[in-house]
Amino acid sequence: MTGPKLNEANRVAGAPGGVKAQLRWVRMSASKFRPVLNQVRGLDVVSAREVLSLHSVEAARILQKLLKSAVANALHNNSLDEETLYVKACFADESPTIKRFRTRAKGRSNIRLRRGAHITIVVDTMTDKMLAIRAQSAEAKGGTKV
């Protein structure tokens, strides 16, 4: 797919897009990553880590490491604060499928498709409006978390 991703929410040319981390050529189908990615999209980094740690699927463990990498990129390369980061966009694209065959009876064969994925996570700082909404919801729940 060419062009910007639809869920990246950055369609203005020249606007900062956030900090990203990519994991390419993962030997797991992209369709196994997508349900987990849909749950963490838009969450702050702390909540996203908690959601990923509660999943029992292998895709969540891989995404946890990738999220940690994206946060490290934001901290060390752009000097951003970890507490104000959120998952701006996350998506799993299909990598080229490796085709293998398996021999069957009577000289026949079946094709075996070894699917893979390229995964991208984009983190960015929350705007003041988003931080105010987050503080207000935490206050309504009775906590002091900002």
Side-chain angles (χ1 to χ4, degrees):
M1 175 186 242
T2 58
K5 296 292 178 182
L6 297 176
N7 64 1
E8 195 171 340
N10 185 18
R11 296 177 191 88
V12 179
V19 182
K20 83 176 175 179
Q22 277 187 319
L23 181 60
R24 295 174 53 84
W25 301 101
V26 182
R27 297 292 331 135
M28 187 183 295
S29 174
S31 62
K32 293 181 182 178
F33 285 102
R34 288 183 183 126
V36 183
L37 288 171
N38 289 338
Q39 290 186 349
V40 298
R41 187 176 294 119
L43 294 178
D44 59 296
V45 171
V46 177
S47 300
R49 280 186 181 150
E50 291 172 1
V51 168
L52 290 174
S53 68
L54 294 175
H55 273 282
S56 61
V57 293
E58 180 69 16
R61 189 185 64 78
I62 294 169
L63 290 173
Q64 223 173 355
K65 293 170 82 172
L66 186 60
L67 180 64
K68 184 177 179 182
S69 175
V71 171
N73 288 343
L75 294 178
H76 298 291
N77 298 342
N78 293 36
S79 302
L80 300 176
D81 184 26
E82 184 177 356
E83 296 298 321
T84 61
L85 291 177
Y86 77 105
V87 180
K88 182 176 187 178
C90 52
F91 42 88
D93 296 325
E94 294 178 4
S95 68
T97 303
I98 301 170
K99 296 171 181 74
R100 297 288 182 256
F101 73 92
R102 179 165 182 143
T103 55
R104 307 306 286 175
K106 300 182 181 180
R108 297 183 179 121
S109 65
N110 284 353
I111 194 164
R112 184 173 177 200
L113 302 176
R114 309 276 315 264
R115 300 190 189 276
H118 301 315
I119 308 156
T120 306
I121 293 182
V122 181
V123 295
D124 201 4
T125 55
M126 290 188 231
T127 61
D128 293 333
K129 184 177 179 181
M130 292 172 72
L131 286 170
I133 292 171
R134 184 176 170 209
Q136 185 180 18
S137 65
E139 186 178 309
K141 290 180 183 177
T144 58
K145 185 178 176 182
V146 176

